[in-house]
Amino acid sequence: MISLLSLPSEDASPSTSETVPVLISGAGPTGLLACILLAKMGIQTRLIERDMTVSSLSKAISLHPRTLEILRLTSPDLAARFEKECWVSHKGRMFFGGRLTAEIPWCPATESQFHYTWGVPQTTTVKLLTEEYERTGMGSIERGWELVDTKVVEGELVKELDGSTRTNPSWVETTIRRAVKGTNKREGESVVLGTVDMAGEDEGKEYEIKVVKSDFLIGADGGRSTIRHVLDIPFPGRTRDSNIILFDGHIETDLPLDEMASINGSNLHTVGMFPLCGNRVRFLLSDGTLTEEEFAARKTKTPTKEYFEKLLEETVAPHKIRVLSYNWLTYYRANERRATEFVHKQRIILAGDAAHCHSPMGGQGLNTGLQDSYNLAWKIGMVLKGTAPLSLVDSYNEERIPIADEIIALSAKSLTMLISENYFVFQARKAALSLFSYVLRYLPLGAGAPNFAMLNLRYYGNSLNKEHGAQKYASTAPASIGKRAPDDVLYPLTADATSTRLYHLMDIPGAFQILVFTANRMVQEQDLEATLAGNIGHYQGSWIARWPGTRADTSFVVNTKKASPQFIVHVISYHGSRVIINTSSNMSKAPGYGRVYLDSEEQDLHKRYGIASEGGIVVVRPDTHISYRVASIDKAAWADVDEYFGSILCGS
């Protein structure tokens, strides 16, 4: 593929028209992570944001285990900086009528390095991601600029000197503006969280206007997405008629503030309490159902401190509570909606709240947006580098829409549990918790549960995820196509060296990971090590030559301890193979070029990947989902993997 940067632009002067490979609208977590990942693949981006400053509101406060894995895979240092800023929830408390009815320890997510959800205010998330983006040296946030119009311009037919014709690639043409005086904020904009309506225009305001040409536009501009409205992409779903008050501030109370809690008051109102730091908390307080008039008016007024505090006191009684100060007090409108398409003409892509929105229950929104970027960035990077065809971007649409639907359904159920003020439902919940409080301790609930931890979200068969033609591997089997690649501890060949984790070998944005599981064949077959080394050298060298890769050659990206191409090979053998393997020759291999690691004595990784005695090769996509597998490590199996790459990537 030819990048737009190589196309002529005589039709616009440099003062009014600019060109960039990827334009991103919206400098929230979703847009920032996309920029970081693209930068680490050597792709220049331009990130615009309407707001002049970062919001001081806490907004999303949860990072789930799968998202924490993504941050660690993006940058080990980034994950470490998040860890310094977080708090960890280990259990939840349920109160009914002032009485502690159940105290439920969350089930740890043992299949991940990160066992629990981390509590981090969105202000901190944006701060840390912004710092990481700026560290790449590939761009910074351009504040005060907002997108007002965009379209895909179809490629033109060009006649060559020899009489042949070719079609130039399509591109995106976007108009952006910045207020000459003041900001781009408009009067009368709704301050209610969850609003999806477009804001009106202010008359008589002067703007500086520019046109930006790009290969791709990522719309991470929130629930009110201008991009979605401009392209007239439907956003079907529903707006819940529940009235919810959202509070973020400091309180004085006799309730414990060390863990999350759901407090079901005798007044049939319920409040979800989420500790932030010290005596600072987040409350979600149910406040009945909107009247038809309030629903039509979108309830734009702000609740008063007096009204909120009175309702809160009645709900938590006989416990005592007093509001000392607040950063945020607003009504929340729960919209459960999903755009009908995430990819428009293969060039404009919606991500985060612009593509899907729902209630904050379960803390899935920000996490889903970050995972949108993790699915998308490597695909755009490969297209721009000429490694993959433009059609690869369509798989984002195929894969993320079902995930969005799943998350919306999960969040809707969680919200319904919180807001129900029916007396019989209230009593049923209370009785169930009283009766099963002991059993609940052993159920996979809360932050470590697969649904909430987001570790079991998967993609299915498509143009990217392919089953082996002659081998049938059940979709319900371990590590089947489309599932998240399992992680676990690996051991070096020398007993005195330090162990590592598989995911710690895979933190290379834009790289396919080829995992070669030998089972016990290293012990049983004397010549296997040399044969395997030959196949790895031949095929890995061929792939690197045919598809040079998306890695940037900048110092912040390249880790000298790891291979830099986009095809990384790791060999994983049974633990007992240590006595057979030629340690000196394998230890001299660079990580990622066939170095051998040992599974645990219980062969945990072999089991998690469903590897039988014949061994197997598993292809893991750059976003650590499994896209292909073959139940053998012989020469024919390598030819099958080679054929798979040829089917999804551009021709040599």
Side-chain angles (χ1 to χ4, degrees), residues 398-413:
E398 297 168 347
E399 294 179 336
R400 296 307 294 173
I401 281 180
I403 295 295
D405 289 342
E406 187 175 338
I407 295 301
I408 290 170
L410 175 65
S411 179
K413 291 179 182 177

Side-chain angles (χ1 to χ4, degrees), residues 63-347:
L63 294 176
H64 295 310
R66 176 55 181 164
T67 303
L68 296 173
E69 287 183 342
I70 288 171
L71 293 174
R72 173 63 177 73
L73 288 160
T74 299
S75 167
D77 293 340
L78 177 62
R81 292 196 294 276
F82 268 95
E83 188 170 14
K84 291 179 181 178
E85 302 281 353
C86 79
W87 60 272
V88 179
S89 174
H90 294 94
K91 60 185 175 183
R93 297 187 178 99
M94 304 289 289
F95 292 84
F96 278 83
R99 179 172 173 266
L100 179 62
T101 305
E103 193 168 81
I104 309 166
W106 303 138
C107 175
T110 54
E111 61 269 47
S112 171
Q113 172 188 354
F114 304 97
H115 294 176
Y116 296 97
T117 289
W118 290 2
V120 184
Q122 187 168 321
T123 47
T124 302
T125 297
V126 170
K127 172 180 172 291
L128 295 176
L129 291 177
T130 298
E131 291 172 353
E132 182 70 15
Y133 178 42
E134 292 173 346
R135 284 180 70 242
T136 67
M138 299 287 282
S140 60
I141 302 173
E142 298 182 44
R143 293 196 173 275
W145 288 95
E146 68 172 333
L147 182 148
V148 292
D149 196 15
T150 189
K151 63 181 178 181
V152 175
V153 180
E154 301 297 343
E156 298 177 349
L157 194 65
V158 178
K159 190 172 184 178
E160 302 285 9
L161 293 175
D162 61 2
S164 62
T165 60
R166 63 178 174 84
T167 302
N168 274 336
S170 58
W171 70 88
V172 183
E173 190 171 278
T174 302
T175 303
I176 62 175
R177 72 182 182 186
R178 177 173 60 183
V180 175
K181 293 181 181 180
T183 72
N184 288 337
K185 286 282 189 181
R186 265 86 77 186
E187 292 186 13
E189 287 192 33
S190 174
V191 296
V192 177
L193 183 68
T195 301
V196 298
D197 301 316
M198 283 278 286
E201 288 288 319
D202 284 347
E203 294 183 6
K205 203 177 241 186
E206 284 188 62
Y207 294 96
E208 176 187 1
I209 298 176
K210 290 186 178 181
V211 175
V212 180
K213 290 185 174 183
S214 61
D215 290 292
F216 294 98
L217 168 64
I218 299 177
D221 51 347
R224 304 179 193 180
S225 174
T226 301
I227 296 172
R228 193 185 64 241
H229 282 88
V230 165
L231 297 177
D232 199 24
I233 296 175
F235 201 41
R238 65 173 175 170
T239 302
R240 301 286 288 264
D241 62 359
S242 53
N243 207 21
I244 301 170
I245 301 176
L246 188 149
F247 167 90
D248 173 353
H250 294 81
I251 64 170
E252 186 178 84
T253 182
D254 58 359
L255 287 163
L257 296 179
D258 57 330
E259 296 286 355
M260 294 186 286
S262 175
I263 304 166
N264 300 262
S266 300
N267 62 353
L268 301 185
H269 288 259
T270 302
V271 60
M273 183 173 72
F274 308 89
L276 294 175
C277 182
N279 66 339
R280 182 185 174 189
V281 298
R282 161 81 64 81
F283 285 127
L284 285 175
L285 176 60
S286 65
D287 188 20
T289 302
L290 292 171
T291 65
E292 290 185 11
E293 293 77 13
E294 289 172 335
F295 187 85
R298 296 293 193 265
K299 195 66 177 180
T300 55
K301 69 179 184 180
T302 300
T304 64
K305 173 179 177 292
E306 292 73 23
Y307 176 78
F308 168 75
E309 192 165 16
K310 181 176 183 296
L311 181 58
L312 181 64
E313 288 173 348
E314 293 172 351
T315 304
V316 304
H319 289 282
K320 304 298 182 183
I321 197 164
R322 185 164 70 93
V323 174
L324 301 178
S325 63
Y326 62 90
N327 307 312
W328 200 8
L329 183 62
T330 182
Y331 282 107
Y332 172 78
R333 297 308 312 277
N335 273 286
E336 296 165 355
R337 299 180 180 277
R338 193 257 293 164
T340 55
E341 63 174 4
F342 291 2
V343 178
H344 178 72
K345 296 185 178 180
Q346 300 182 313
R347 294 291 185 181

Side-chain angles (χ1 to χ4, degrees), residues 18 37 65 97 126 175 177 285 370 452 480 501 505 542 555 591:
E18 299 176 359
L37 292 166
V126 170
T175 303
R177 72 182 182 186
L285 176 60
L370 291 175
F452 286 98
S480 56
R501 295 191 72 92
L505 303 175
S542 172
S555 59

